[in-house]
């Protein structure tokens, strides 16, 4: 009898696995198409020292193809300003982006707080700058639900299905999980939880009724409010995303890249377009210190 009762759950898990595999294939195809358009060729392993170009990795907050479109203007700006080719490399997941900068596949990377901490603490990635959102170096996470499902508070999520983004994500896993814990909701109190990878996938899954609620960046949640998504709670301030570099880059190159990024000014129309493509609320970049992320680091250590 127990085996029969467990069949729907087993079937759902198999369906999730098949859906995830198909999603990954579609993303690989979309990313390959985008990279062919810009003639960006992905490599593995350390690159020759004589090669003067740089490769810029990006965490896939949304689909890799979408992230490619968002960051292509920035790499073009860096290419023009630095006088050397900067090519874009978008990871298929968060861990791949970290491995790429560790293995020498990329020289630079746009990372979340948690992925930066992982990259810095494990292999010495060098922090260059942090983003400014409307002039401030902070972002927020949100826990969302659909209208009409009777969920109004985080406490209502006991016994419900919850969608996170990536296990390595700050604003679609670490912070939402902490917010649930503060409301007295543990993972074991949920009916089920899963990791969908991208923030926009979390929003779509909640809107489709596949999950009752989910955690994601507030800025991405806002994009889906007019489609029926509602915000149950917004987090406190989270240190903004950052750009870091491989420890293998020389000091002169690091300083040139840092100055070039900080020089982006929203008052300059060309710069404004570059920043708005990354995030419509981005106004520039500022110098960053490892200590800026100590609060996130402590939270990572407390949540297992």
């Amino acid at each position: 009898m127990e085996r029969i009762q467990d069949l729907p759950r087993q079937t759902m898990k198999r369906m999730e696995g098949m859906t995830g595999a198909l999603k990954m294939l579609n993303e690989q195809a979309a990313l390959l198409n985008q990279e062919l358009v810009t003639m960006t060729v992905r490599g593995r392993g350390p690159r020759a020292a004589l090669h003067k170009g740089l490769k810029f990795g990006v965490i896939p907050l949304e689909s890799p193809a979408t992230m490619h479109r968002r960051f292509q203007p920035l790499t073009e700006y860096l290419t023009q300003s630095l006088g050397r080719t900067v090519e874009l490399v978008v990871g298929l997941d968060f861990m791949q982006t970290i491995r790429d900068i560790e293995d020498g596949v990329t020289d630079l990377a746009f990372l979340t707080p948690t992925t930066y901490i992982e990259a810095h603490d494990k292999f010495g990635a060098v922090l260059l700058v942090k983003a400014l959102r409307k002039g401030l170096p902070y972002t927020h996470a949100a826990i969302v639900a659909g209208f009409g499902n009777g969920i109004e508070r985080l406490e209502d999520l006991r016994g419900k299905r919850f969608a996170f983004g990536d296990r390595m994500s700050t604003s679609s896993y670490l912070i939402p999980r902490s917010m649930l814990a503060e409301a007295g909701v543990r993972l074991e109190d949920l009916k089920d939880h899963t990791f969908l990878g991208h923030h926009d996938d979390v929003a779509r899954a909640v809107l489709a009724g596949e999950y009752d609620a989910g955690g994601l960046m507030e800025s991405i949640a806002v994009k889906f409010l007019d489609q029926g998504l509602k915000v149950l709670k917004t987090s406190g301030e989270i240190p903004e995303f950052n750009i870091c570099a491989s420890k293998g880059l020389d000091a002169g190159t690091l300083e040139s890249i840092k100055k070039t990024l900080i020089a982006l000014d929203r008052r300059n129309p060309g710069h404004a377009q570059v920043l708005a493509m990354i995030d419509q609320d981005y106004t520039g970049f500022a110098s960053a210190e490892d200590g800026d992320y100590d609060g996130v680091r402590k939270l990572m250590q407390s949540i297992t």
Side-chain angles (χ1 to χ4, degrees):
M1 190 65 181
E2 291 179 357
R3 291 181 179 178
I4 295 174
Q5 290 175 339
D6 200 39
L7 283 176
R9 188 182 185 88
Q10 293 174 356
T11 301
M12 179 64 73
K13 290 295 184 183
R14 292 192 186 100
M15 289 295 293
E16 286 179 358
M18 293 172 63
T19 301
L22 289 172
K23 175 172 170 284
M24 181 66 75
L25 287 173
N26 287 333
E27 288 175 354
Q28 289 174 334
L31 181 56
L32 177 60
N33 181 66
Q34 193 71 42
E35 290 185 336
L36 286 173
V37 170
T38 56
M39 297 302 292
T40 299
V41 180
R42 184 181 183 81
R44 172 63 58 180
R47 294 179 292 115
L50 294 178
H51 182 56
K52 295 183 179 180
L54 297 169
K55 290 198 174 183
F56 189 108
V58 175
I59 284 286
L61 301 171
E62 299 182 88
S63 73
T66 297
M67 297 303 292
H68 205 288
R69 289 191 295 271
R70 286 173 56 181
F71 279 84
Q72 188 62 32
L74 177 61
T75 57
E76 292 172 357
Y77 163 76
L78 290 172
T79 293
Q80 183 177 11
S81 300
L82 296 172
R84 59 197 297 184
T85 302
V86 179
E87 297 179 2
L88 190 60
V89 178
V90 182
L92 290 173
D93 57 36
F94 284 41
M95 279 305 302
Q96 183 184 48
T97 307
I98 297 174
R99 286 195 299 268
D100 280 351
I101 196 168
E102 178 182 12
D103 294 343
V105 175
T106 56
D107 306 286
L108 304 165
F110 178 79
L111 298 178
T112 67
T114 48
T115 48
Y116 157 68
I117 290 168
E118 185 83 2
H120 173 76
D121 292 357
K122 286 193 172 180
F123 53 88
V126 181
L127 183 63
L128 296 179
V129 296
K130 56 190 174 186
L132 296 176
R133 183 180 296 275
K134 296 181 178 180
L136 299 174
Y138 302 107
T139 186
H140 299 85
I143 291 182
V144 300
F147 278 101
N149 61 6
I151 298 174
E152 300 297 335
R153 307 177 305 148
L154 298 191
E155 290 81 359
D156 297 333
L157 294 176
R158 291 188 182 88
K160 303 297 184 181
R161 301 162 299 164
F162 196 94
F164 294 106
D166 191 286
R167 289 179 186 271
M168 290 297 299
S169 175
T170 309
S171 48
S172 68
Y173 174 59
L174 182 69
I175 300 300
R177 183 171 171 187
S178 174
M179 293 166 68
L180 289 174
E182 289 177 2
V185 181
R186 303 166 300 171
L187 290 186
E188 51 265 39
D189 295 325
L190 300 170
K191 179 179 181 180
D192 193 14
H193 72 277
T194 194
F195 296 89
L196 299 181
H198 307 138
H199 294 240
D200 53 339
D201 287 336
V202 172
R204 292 189 181 97
V206 172
L207 286 172
E210 297 170 9
Y211 290 89
D212 301 300
L216 69 166
M217 288 177 63
E218 180 189 30
S219 59
I220 294 181
V222 168
K223 298 178 183 179
F224 293 88
L225 294 181
D226 61 353
Q227 299 180 38
L229 203 66
K230 67 179 179 183
V231 175
L232 298 178
K233 188 171 183 178
T234 302
S235 75
E237 294 177 341
I238 306 169
E240 255 294 353
F241 293 1
N242 56 80
I243 294 176
C244 69
S246 166
K247 66 178 181 181
L249 288 181
D250 63 271
T253 298
L254 292 175
E255 187 62 24
S256 294
I257 296 169
K258 183 175 180 177
K259 287 182 178 179
T260 300
L261 290 167
I262 292 176
L264 281 166
D265 187 340
R266 194 66 180 256
R267 294 169 295 184
N268 179 311
H271 292 184
Q273 186 175 9
V274 171
L275 291 166
M277 282 299 295
I278 301 173
D279 189 297
Q280 63 181 358
D281 292 330
Y282 273 12
T283 51
F285 290 94
S287 182
E289 303 290 340
D290 181 67
D292 296 341
Y293 298 94
D294 280 349
V296 176
R297 185 178 277 111
K298 289 178 182 177
L299 190 59
M300 290 172 66
Q301 293 168 350
S302 66
I303 292 183
T304 57

